[in-house]
Amino acid sequence: MAPEPRPNAAGHLDDDDYPAYTMGRAAELIGSTPAFLRSLGEARLITPLRSGGGHRRYSRYQLRIAARARELVDQGTPIDAACRIIILEDQLEEALRLNDELRRHEDRPDRHTGS
């Protein structure tokens, strides 16, 4: 029986959702501690994936969220409030994106009006 091919890590270099960073490296990159990252997980702001050995792994997208949380906490915002702010910011961004998409669709000259 042939061995399973190993996933090509180079194929994930541009993938924002690929869990490439260990907890220690992730904490180092955002200037925090592993305990801070664990607290974000406990608050359900980010949910790191787990390696085969059960270790937390973080994506670049999750690190951006964690960095935003750290920024808010450093400014004196309690962590639970920081998490709520980030969730609301994300929802607003998504709503604005959807509105823009709908406007572009309505402004298309080839749109059928049904008349």
Side-chain angles (χ1 to χ4, degrees), residues 80-100:
D80 57 331
C83 292
R84 185 70 183 136
I85 289 167
I86 293 165
I87 290 167
L88 291 170
E89 287 173 342
D90 190 54
Q91 290 172 346
L92 175 60
E93 184 179 319
E94 178 66 8
L96 292 172
R97 186 191 64 76
L98 289 172
N99 283 341
D100 187 49

Side-chain angles (χ1 to χ4, degrees), residues 27-39:
E28 180 183 317
L29 286 170
I30 67 165
S32 76
T33 63
F36 180 76
L37 289 173
R38 279 191 295 277
S39 69

Side-chain angles (χ1 to χ4, degrees), residues 67-78 82 85 89:
R68 176 68 177 132
R70 181 165 194 280
E71 178 183 310
L72 289 168
V73 169
D74 286 352
Q75 293 171 359
T77 307
I85 289 167
E89 287 173 342

Side-chain angles (χ1 to χ4, degrees), residues 16-17 21-23 26-27 30 32-50 56-70 79 82-84 86-87 90:
D16 264 2
D17 296 318
Y21 302 96
T22 62
M23 177 180 275
I30 67 165
S32 76
T33 63
F36 180 76
L37 289 173
R38 279 191 295 277
S39 69
L40 296 180
E42 290 166 7
R44 296 187 177 167
L45 181 63
I46 57 175
T47 304
L49 291 166
R50 298 282 182 152
R56 291 173 179 89
R57 305 285 294 195
Y58 296 88
S59 68
R60 287 193 317 235
Y61 175 74
Q62 290 172 322
L63 291 184
R64 282 195 299 274
I65 292 171
R68 176 68 177 132
R70 181 165 194 280
I79 195 160
C83 292
R84 185 70 183 136
I86 293 165
I87 290 167
D90 190 54

